[in-house]
Amino acid sequence: MPNKKIVLHFSKNLVKEPIVYKLIKEYNLSFNILKAKILPDEEGIMVMELSGDEKDYKKGIEYLKRSGVSTQPLSKDIGRDEDKCIHCGACVVMCPTQALSVDRKTMKVIFESEKCIACELCIEPCPTKAMRLHF
Ligand code: SF4
Ligand code: SF4
């Protein structure tokens, strides 16, 4: 029963297609949309958490590919530049999911990408621009 956060990239001509509806109806998956936007070039981006049977999940992802929707794990689109992070902690209070937290032993700020929901609240307060979001 995977529960995975993925990013869907829709091309301009697919923005109005009922892709997500079919994904849910025909592949028996549950979803939670974390973010959806149309970029200036009219490409659509959706961040969602998908869950369901492993076999259905794979079929659903194949269906998306066949439909021309590219997908990738959210963890590939968000990250932290470890060289830039100065462990100031400014991002920790902003993070609603505790993807950013302080290790009390080392007093370093830890980033756990699997907890991230791409809300972007940590981007602005970071003084060194260490947090990166690729969409
Ligand atoms: S705000 Fe930026 S520099 Fe400070 S701990 Fe967070 S990621 Fe690191
Ligand atoms: S994008 Fe949101 S959930 Fe992810 S680390 Fe930043 S504040 Fe936390």
Side-chain angles (χ1 to χ4, degrees):
M1 195 82 166
N3 187 353
K4 299 184 179 168
K5 295 189 192 102
I6 57 170
V7 183
L8 280 57
H9 292 257
F10 296 78
S11 63
K12 194 174 170 179
N13 56 328
L14 288 174
V15 165
K16 290 183 183 162
E17 296 292 320
I19 301 267
V20 175
Y21 171 77
K22 280 197 189 166
L23 185 65
I24 307 315
K25 182 132 172 99
E26 293 177 18
Y27 297 94
N28 207 24
L29 297 169
S30 318
F31 72 101
N32 180 20
I33 294 177
L34 302 173
K35 177 178 295 213
K37 39 173 144 171
I38 307 285
L39 299 182
D41 61 359
E42 295 187 17
E43 183 201 19
I45 284 189
M46 191 179 287
V47 181
M48 63 160 61
E49 197 165 24
L50 267 185
S51 54
D53 182 81
E54 182 76 46
K55 224 159 58 181
D56 290 336
Y57 179 82
K58 280 186 184 157
K59 283 183 186 168
I61 295 294
E62 279 163 18
Y63 157 70
L64 287 173
K65 279 186 192 156
R66 279 198 311 277
S67 306
V69 179
S70 66
T71 63
Q72 66 180 53
L74 174 61
S75 56
K76 290 208 168 160
D77 269 334
I78 187 149
R80 183 173 66 175
D81 186 330
E82 298 302 330
D83 293 334
K84 284 188 180 172
C85 179
I86 55 172
H87 299 276
C88 66
C91 55
V92 174
V93 286
M94 304 305 293
C95 183
T97 63
Q98 294 179 327
L100 289 155
S101 63
V102 178
D103 179 331
R104 294 289 161 195
K105 278 190 192 153
T106 62
M107 293 312 283
K108 300 264 185 191
V109 174
I110 304 162
F111 173 54
E112 296 170 273
S113 62
E114 67 282 359
K115 292 185 183 172
C116 177
I117 56 167
C119 67
E120 299 183 43
L121 291 175
C122 58
I123 306 286
E124 196 59 35
C126 179
T128 62
K129 305 294 170 222
M131 292 305 296
R132 296 169 310 198
L133 196 67
H134 298 296
F135 52 83

